[in-house]
Amino acid sequence: MIKSIEKILNVQIEKESYSSHLYLSMASWAEAAGYEGISQWLYVQSDEERLHMLKFIHYVNERGGNAIISAIKVPPAKFDDVMDVFQKVLKHEEFVTASINEIVALCNNEKDFTTLNFVQWFVAEQIQEEKSARAIIDKLKLLGKQNLYLLDKDIMAMRAAAEPVGGVA
Ligand code: FEO
């Protein structure tokens, strides 16, 4: 495996691991605050990020590289409110999308079309991840606080109806 590709994929492993940790922290905050649906959405999101991390780990190892498991930085534990949480989810997903795009650019530079093909799944996934965060923010903007209870139930139903994420590579 090309060294520069192995390096950038290991950086991505760390980012996906942090994403899982960040959403776990948000889920725990929401659960403690009594938002059952929102916490469930975030717990599942955290699990999905772990699957993303595993996809990268397996890919690096299967292609003859060495996947590195590094320390995860501590995520924030306190949030102002539900809007604050989802704005941070969106901001984080935009950051991850930029990272995936950097991998795509490097694959093109290095003419690594195998990794380019592998990473296409993540390009498509990022569109969905940003879309769901924006959809929830839009709903939050429409609602007053008294309706948060109903939104909480609505989000739980969204998660239940969602397509399961693709299996581990
Ligand atoms: Fe794995 Fe939400 O990006």
Side-chain angles (χ1 to χ4, degrees):
M1 163 169 254
I2 300 165
K3 279 290 155 201
S4 60
I5 297 285
E6 182 178 356
K7 193 174 165 199
I8 203 170
L9 294 184
N10 268 313
V11 171
Q12 193 63 32
I13 287 168
E14 192 180 337
K15 286 177 183 168
E16 300 291 348
S17 174
Y18 178 73
S19 304
S20 179
H21 225 47
L22 174 64
Y23 298 151
L24 189 60
S25 180
M26 289 171 169
S28 176
W29 174 88
E31 185 174 47
Y35 297 116
E36 200 183 339
I38 288 163
S39 72
Q40 185 185 321
W41 191 96
L42 290 161
Y43 277 123
V44 174
Q45 196 63 31
S46 172
D47 286 346
E48 286 192 5
E49 297 300 347
R50 182 177 154 77
L51 286 178
H52 295 174
M53 176 194 72
L54 286 170
K55 271 181 185 281
F56 279 108
I57 289 172
H58 294 321
Y59 180 78
V60 170
N61 290 333
E62 282 164 10
R63 296 292 299 160
N66 288 296
I68 309 291
I69 311 303
S70 48
I72 314 170
K73 68 177 174 176
V74 178
K78 294 209 186 323
F79 304 92
D80 298 339
D81 49 28
V82 171
M83 180 62 103
D84 183 39
V85 166
F86 282 100
Q87 277 171 341
K88 285 181 171 136
V89 169
L90 178 59
K91 198 166 163 228
H92 186 71
E93 287 305 324
E94 287 169 344
F95 163 75
V96 173
T97 299
S99 300
I100 298 292
N101 288 343
E102 278 173 30
I103 297 172
V104 169
L106 187 65
C107 287
N108 277 317
N109 285 345
E110 298 281 12
K111 296 190 168 39
D112 181 349
F113 301 118
T114 310
T115 304
L116 184 63
N117 181 58
F118 164 76
V119 90
Q120 288 308 315
W121 184 90
F122 289 91
V123 172
E125 176 72 0
Q126 282 312 118
I127 295 170
Q128 290 309 315
E129 302 247 294
E130 286 191 24
K131 188 178 151 193
S132 12
R134 285 200 188 94
I136 293 169
I137 289 170
D138 286 347
K139 281 174 191 264
L140 281 167
K141 282 180 185 163
L142 291 171
L143 293 173
K145 244 192 178 159
Q146 67 276 23
N147 287 323
L148 253 180
Y149 175 80
L150 292 174
L151 174 71
D152 189 51
K153 298 280 172 226
D154 190 27
I155 287 178
M156 203 184 317
M158 279 168 70
R159 175 57 78 186
E163 291 284 319
V165 74
V168 175

PDB file of all heavy atoms in Angstrom, residues 138-152:
ATOM      1  N   ASP A 138     -33.362  21.978  10.800  1.00  0.00           N
ATOM      2  CA  ASP A 138     -34.521  22.672  10.202  1.00  0.00           C
ATOM      3  C   ASP A 138     -35.779  22.458  11.045  1.00  0.00           C
ATOM      4  O   ASP A 138     -36.555  23.381  11.275  1.00  0.00           O
ATOM      5  CB  ASP A 138     -34.768  22.173   8.765  1.00  0.00           C
ATOM      6  CG  ASP A 138     -33.732  22.715   7.789  1.00  0.00           C
ATOM      7  OD1 ASP A 138     -32.994  23.652   8.167  1.00  0.00           O
ATOM      8  OD2 ASP A 138     -33.639  22.195   6.665  1.00  0.00           O
ATOM      9  N   LYS A 139     -35.978  21.227  11.498  1.00  0.00           N
ATOM     10  CA  LYS A 139     -37.145  20.935  12.346  1.00  0.00           C
ATOM     11  C   LYS A 139     -37.061  21.721  13.653  1.00  0.00           C
ATOM     12  O   LYS A 139     -38.047  22.269  14.126  1.00  0.00           O
ATOM     13  CB  LYS A 139     -37.226  19.441  12.661  1.00  0.00           C
ATOM     14  CG  LYS A 139     -37.809  18.610  11.532  1.00  0.00           C
ATOM     15  CD  LYS A 139     -37.712  17.135  11.881  1.00  0.00           C
ATOM     16  CE  LYS A 139     -38.025  16.261  10.677  1.00  0.00           C
ATOM     17  NZ  LYS A 139     -39.384  15.785  10.606  1.00  0.00           N
ATOM     18  N   LEU A 140     -35.864  21.759  14.226  1.00  0.00           N
ATOM     19  CA  LEU A 140     -35.677  22.470  15.497  1.00  0.00           C
ATOM     20  C   LEU A 140     -36.005  23.949  15.354  1.00  0.00           C
ATOM     21  O   LEU A 140     -36.564  24.570  16.262  1.00  0.00           O
ATOM     22  CB  LEU A 140     -34.242  22.310  15.986  1.00  0.00           C
ATOM     23  CG  LEU A 140     -33.902  20.992  16.666  1.00  0.00           C
ATOM     24  CD1 LEU A 140     -32.398  20.853  16.807  1.00  0.00           C
ATOM     25  CD2 LEU A 140     -34.577  20.897  18.026  1.00  0.00           C
ATOM     26  N   LYS A 141     -35.647  24.513  14.201  1.00  0.00           N
ATOM     27  CA  LYS A 141     -35.911  25.935  13.972  1.00  0.00           C
ATOM     28  C   LYS A 141     -37.410  26.200  13.908  1.00  0.00           C
ATOM     29  O   LYS A 141     -37.872  27.295  14.241  1.00  0.00           O
ATOM     30  CB  LYS A 141     -35.249  26.383  12.663  1.00  0.00           C
ATOM     31  CG  LYS A 141     -33.753  26.612  12.792  1.00  0.00           C
ATOM     32  CD  LYS A 141     -33.164  27.041  11.460  1.00  0.00           C
ATOM     33  CE  LYS A 141     -31.648  27.160  11.541  1.00  0.00           C
ATOM     34  NZ  LYS A 141     -31.053  27.167  10.203  1.00  0.00           N
ATOM     35  N   LEU A 142     -38.163  25.205  13.453  1.00  0.00           N
ATOM     36  CA  LEU A 142     -39.610  25.386  13.301  1.00  0.00           C
ATOM     37  C   LEU A 142     -40.367  25.251  14.621  1.00  0.00           C
ATOM     38  O   LEU A 142     -41.512  25.650  14.729  1.00  0.00           O
ATOM     39  CB  LEU A 142     -40.167  24.347  12.311  1.00  0.00           C
ATOM     40  CG  LEU A 142     -39.755  24.524  10.853  1.00  0.00           C
ATOM     41  CD1 LEU A 142     -40.200  23.321  10.031  1.00  0.00           C
ATOM     42  CD2 LEU A 142     -40.358  25.792  10.266  1.00  0.00           C
ATOM     43  N   LEU A 143     -39.702  24.666  15.578  1.00  0.00           N
ATOM     44  CA  LEU A 143     -40.407  24.323  16.815  1.00  0.00           C
ATOM     45  C   LEU A 143     -40.058  25.251  17.972  1.00  0.00           C
ATOM     46  O   LEU A 143     -38.939  25.692  18.104  1.00  0.00           O
ATOM     47  CB  LEU A 143     -40.040  22.901  17.232  1.00  0.00           C
ATOM     48  CG  LEU A 143     -40.533  21.788  16.311  1.00  0.00           C
ATOM     49  CD1 LEU A 143     -39.955  20.474  16.764  1.00  0.00           C
ATOM     50  CD2 LEU A 143     -42.047  21.726  16.333  1.00  0.00           C
ATOM     51  N   GLY A 144     -41.021  25.463  18.821  1.00  0.00           N
ATOM     52  CA  GLY A 144     -40.747  26.109  20.090  1.00  0.00           C
ATOM     53  C   GLY A 144     -40.351  25.041  21.093  1.00  0.00           C
ATOM     54  O   GLY A 144     -40.453  23.851  20.809  1.00  0.00           O
ATOM     55  N   LYS A 145     -39.916  25.469  22.255  1.00  0.00           N
ATOM     56  CA  LYS A 145     -39.456  24.505  23.255  1.00  0.00           C
ATOM     57  C   LYS A 145     -40.552  23.536  23.683  1.00  0.00           C
ATOM     58  O   LYS A 145     -40.311  22.368  23.940  1.00  0.00           O
ATOM     59  CB  LYS A 145     -38.914  25.242  24.477  1.00  0.00           C
ATOM     60  CG  LYS A 145     -37.434  24.979  24.660  1.00  0.00           C
ATOM     61  CD  LYS A 145     -36.954  25.459  25.988  1.00  0.00           C
ATOM     62  CE  LYS A 145     -35.479  25.105  26.109  1.00  0.00           C
ATOM     63  NZ  LYS A 145     -34.767  25.870  27.048  1.00  0.00           N
ATOM     64  N   GLN A 146     -41.802  24.047  23.741  1.00  0.00           N
ATOM     65  CA  GLN A 146     -42.911  23.206  24.200  1.00  0.00           C
ATOM     66  C   GLN A 146     -43.134  22.011  23.281  1.00  0.00           C
ATOM     67  O   GLN A 146     -43.741  21.026  23.663  1.00  0.00           O
ATOM     68  CB  GLN A 146     -44.210  24.022  24.361  1.00  0.00           C
ATOM     69  CG  GLN A 146     -44.817  24.551  23.079  1.00  0.00           C
ATOM     70  CD  GLN A 146     -44.205  25.875  22.623  1.00  0.00           C
ATOM     71  OE1 GLN A 146     -43.087  26.202  22.992  1.00  0.00           O
ATOM     72  NE2 GLN A 146     -44.943  26.642  21.838  1.00  0.00           N
ATOM     73  N   ASN A 147     -42.625  22.125  22.040  1.00  0.00           N
ATOM     74  CA  ASN A 147     -42.832  21.028  21.098  1.00  0.00           C
ATOM     75  C   ASN A 147     -41.637  20.083  21.020  1.00  0.00           C
ATOM     76  O   ASN A 147     -41.649  19.162  20.221  1.00  0.00           O
ATOM     77  CB  ASN A 147     -43.138  21.588  19.705  1.00  0.00           C
ATOM     78  CG  ASN A 147     -44.533  22.168  19.656  1.00  0.00           C
ATOM     79  OD1 ASN A 147     -45.448  21.638  20.275  1.00  0.00           O
ATOM     80  ND2 ASN A 147     -44.694  23.259  18.954  1.00  0.00           N
ATOM     81  N   LEU A 148     -40.632  20.322  21.832  1.00  0.00           N
ATOM     82  CA  LEU A 148     -39.444  19.462  21.789  1.00  0.00           C
ATOM     83  C   LEU A 148     -39.788  18.014  22.094  1.00  0.00           C
ATOM     84  O   LEU A 148     -39.193  17.086  21.563  1.00  0.00           O
ATOM     85  CB  LEU A 148     -38.401  19.960  22.786  1.00  0.00           C
ATOM     86  CG  LEU A 148     -37.185  20.653  22.174  1.00  0.00           C
ATOM     87  CD1 LEU A 148     -36.237  21.095  23.265  1.00  0.00           C
ATOM     88  CD2 LEU A 148     -36.464  19.784  21.166  1.00  0.00           C
ATOM     89  N   TYR A 149     -40.774  17.837  22.967  1.00  0.00           N
ATOM     90  CA  TYR A 149     -41.179  16.478  23.322  1.00  0.00           C
ATOM     91  C   TYR A 149     -41.634  15.725  22.063  1.00  0.00           C
ATOM     92  O   TYR A 149     -41.266  14.585  21.827  1.00  0.00           O
ATOM     93  CB  TYR A 149     -42.299  16.507  24.365  1.00  0.00           C
ATOM     94  CG  TYR A 149     -42.855  15.143  24.682  1.00  0.00           C
ATOM     95  CD1 TYR A 149     -42.185  14.291  25.559  1.00  0.00           C
ATOM     96  CD2 TYR A 149     -44.035  14.697  24.106  1.00  0.00           C
ATOM     97  CE1 TYR A 149     -42.678  13.025  25.840  1.00  0.00           C
ATOM     98  CE2 TYR A 149     -44.539  13.440  24.380  1.00  0.00           C
ATOM     99  CZ  TYR A 149     -43.861  12.609  25.248  1.00  0.00           C
ATOM    100  OH  TYR A 149     -44.340  11.346  25.515  1.00  0.00           O
ATOM    101  N   LEU A 150     -42.434  16.424  21.231  1.00  0.00           N
ATOM    102  CA  LEU A 150     -42.944  15.797  20.006  1.00  0.00           C
ATOM    103  C   LEU A 150     -41.814  15.541  19.012  1.00  0.00           C
ATOM    104  O   LEU A 150     -41.771  14.502  18.359  1.00  0.00           O
ATOM    105  CB  LEU A 150     -44.016  16.686  19.364  1.00  0.00           C
ATOM    106  CG  LEU A 150     -45.302  16.798  20.176  1.00  0.00           C
ATOM    107  CD1 LEU A 150     -46.240  17.811  19.531  1.00  0.00           C
ATOM    108  CD2 LEU A 150     -45.994  15.441  20.289  1.00  0.00           C
ATOM    109  N   LEU A 151     -40.885  16.481  18.916  1.00  0.00           N
ATOM    110  CA  LEU A 151     -39.741  16.293  18.021  1.00  0.00           C
ATOM    111  C   LEU A 151     -38.923  15.082  18.456  1.00  0.00           C
ATOM    112  O   LEU A 151     -38.462  14.296  17.634  1.00  0.00           O
ATOM    113  CB  LEU A 151     -38.843  17.538  18.018  1.00  0.00           C
ATOM    114  CG  LEU A 151     -37.554  17.336  17.209  1.00  0.00           C
ATOM    115  CD1 LEU A 151     -37.854  17.269  15.720  1.00  0.00           C
ATOM    116  CD2 LEU A 151     -36.543  18.412  17.476  1.00  0.00           C
ATOM    117  N   ASP A 152     -38.792  14.946  19.762  1.00  0.00           N
ATOM    118  CA  ASP A 152     -38.033  13.829  20.304  1.00  0.00           C
ATOM    119  C   ASP A 152     -38.623  12.506  19.802  1.00  0.00           C
ATOM    120  O   ASP A 152     -37.909  11.610  19.364  1.00  0.00           O
ATOM    121  CB  ASP A 152     -38.066  13.923  21.831  1.00  0.00           C
ATOM    122  CG  ASP A 152     -37.124  12.928  22.468  1.00  0.00           C
ATOM    123  OD1 ASP A 152     -35.947  12.892  22.066  1.00  0.00           O
ATOM    124  OD2 ASP A 152     -37.568  12.188  23.363  1.00  0.00           O
TER     125      ASP A 152
END
